[in-house]
Amino acid sequence: QVQLVESGGGLVQAGGSLRLSCAHSGIIFSISAMGWFRQAPGKQREMVALMPSGGSTVYGDSVKGRFTISRDDAKNTVYLQMNSLKPEDTAVYYCNADLRRSDLRSGAVFRYWGQGTQVTVSS
């Protein structure tokens, strides 16, 4: 029932900006964290930004100072503002939600993913 839908990806020139959106629905469990990850062809998925509930937001070293994660709970949306984009930022960007599954006896945290949105930065 949990759904995460990314949007806002596209083609942008180096130095430009882009804002990604993640609309989420069906989240009835406690949110441990919301985040953004990315994956380029032939490379492992890497953390871009992670915003724990009640904790400090962390950013991947390669995006610190350039990307900002935020959320608007009234709109059930998480954003990733990307500035000063570089060609190496080209990747599929995935929204994720870490949910504490209170329906399970263990109360384990499960990681849910959106379908991804392509970001291409040209030089």
Side-chain angles (χ1 to χ4, degrees):
Q1 189 176 18
V2 175
Q3 291 187 330
L4 302 168
V5 181
E6 301 95 333
S7 62
L11 176 64
V12 64
Q13 292 185 342
S17 298
L18 207 60
R19 189 181 74 163
L20 305 183
S21 298
C22 172
H24 56 87
S25 62
I27 298 179
I28 61 175
F29 307 113
S30 297
I31 299 175
S32 179
M34 298 293 298
W36 287 92
F37 289 69
R38 69 185 183 186
Q39 187 167 23
K43 296 184 178 180
Q44 63 181 323
R45 187 171 297 188
E46 66 173 328
M47 181 191 71
V48 174
L50 191 64
M51 184 170 55
S53 296
S56 299
T57 299
V58 295
Y59 294 92
D61 289 340
S62 63
V63 307
K64 286 181 179 178
R66 299 189 298 120
F67 291 10
T68 303
I69 186 173
S70 62
R71 59 193 290 178
D72 186 339
D73 290 338
K75 296 182 178 180
N76 293 324
T77 302
V78 178
Y79 303 96
L80 182 68
Q81 179 66 46
M82 305 184 294
N83 298 323
S84 301
L85 284 163
K86 305 174 181 179
E88 49 263 47
D89 293 320
T90 295
V92 176
Y93 284 71
Y94 297 90
C95 176
N96 104 276
D98 294 338
L99 307 181
R100 195 173 304 279
R101 293 285 300 273
S102 59
D103 60 324
L104 302 176
R105 291 173 57 197
S106 65
V109 175
F110 277 50
R111 177 159 284 177
Y112 296 83
W113 299 97
Q115 84 289 344
T117 185
Q118 177 70 47
V119 172
T120 302
V121 184
S122 64
S123 59

